[in-house]
Amino acid sequence: MPVNCTYYRLNHGSWGGRADPMQNARGADLNNHAERLAMGLARGGDTILLVQNAFPCQDRSPQGAPGCHDYLIRQSTAQGRRAGINTVVRVDHDHGLYSTAHPVVVARQRLGLSILPCAIYYEDGNVSYTFIRNAPIGQLPNIWDKPEANPE
């Protein structure tokens, strides 16, 4: 099932710089996963938003390359002269059932708590989760409910 991802960049306090949805198929080369394609638009020091219909994968390539979750953690840290890219991933659906690779999400499911929508924050090598039904953050665009909406 394809993972869809739409990219936004924080610019002067508002989400803009929207890029058309990127898509990948489960099992595709990790370099072609939607999150990685979207990250190709970001520069060091940016704060970006990825609105997705799936949690970031934690797959590994046959060569041992990390999945998208670990990739986003790595991208959020400074690397040499490049500043980290702070990323918010808004997850509105669980296509591909990638939620099962996120221990925080699995723990919530076992307790019967909602897991969607969810925002995952990647900042300076750290990860935190906010489950939006419990702590609304309405300023993040939801392209799945209103695909024609453009926050620019």
Side-chain angles (χ1 to χ4, degrees):
M1 177 166 285
V3 172
N4 294 306
C5 174
T6 299
Y7 166 95
Y8 297 89
R9 183 177 58 253
L10 188 63
N11 188 13
H12 303 293
S14 63
W15 295 108
R18 178 181 177 188
D20 290 332
M22 287 132 205
Q23 190 177 93
N24 72 284
R26 183 178 174 96
D29 178 357
L30 288 175
N31 290 322
N32 292 325
H33 278 200
E35 297 93 333
R36 292 177 193 236
L37 296 173
M39 289 297 282
L41 301 172
R43 298 180 304 268
D46 281 352
T47 297
I48 65 169
L49 166 66
L50 305 178
V51 180
Q52 301 190 174
N53 65 346
F55 286 85
C57 79
Q58 294 202 44
D59 298 341
R60 288 240 172 235
S61 74
Q63 298 77 25
C68 294
H69 178 69
D70 290 335
Y71 174 80
L72 293 170
I73 292 170
R74 184 177 299 155
Q75 292 298 310
S76 74
T77 61
Q79 298 174 11
R81 295 181 151 190
R82 183 191 67 90
I85 301 168
N86 295 321
T87 303
V88 179
V89 177
R90 179 177 171 138
V91 181
D92 290 327
H93 299 286
D94 191 17
H95 290 291
L97 299 177
Y98 290 122
S99 63
T100 59
H102 294 261
V104 170
V105 177
V106 171
R108 288 182 63 84
Q109 288 172 317
R110 287 184 183 143
L111 293 172
L113 300 173
S114 66
I115 63 166
L116 296 168
C118 172
I120 308 171
Y121 299 88
Y122 298 88
E123 184 176 14
D124 297 325
N126 298 303
V127 180
S128 62
Y129 295 76
T130 297
F131 297 91
I132 299 171
R133 290 205 200 296
N134 299 337
I137 47 176
Q139 72 272 18
L140 299 181
N142 181 350
I143 64 164
W144 310 115
D145 289 343
K146 299 177 184 172
E148 72 283 349
N150 189 339
E152 294 182 305

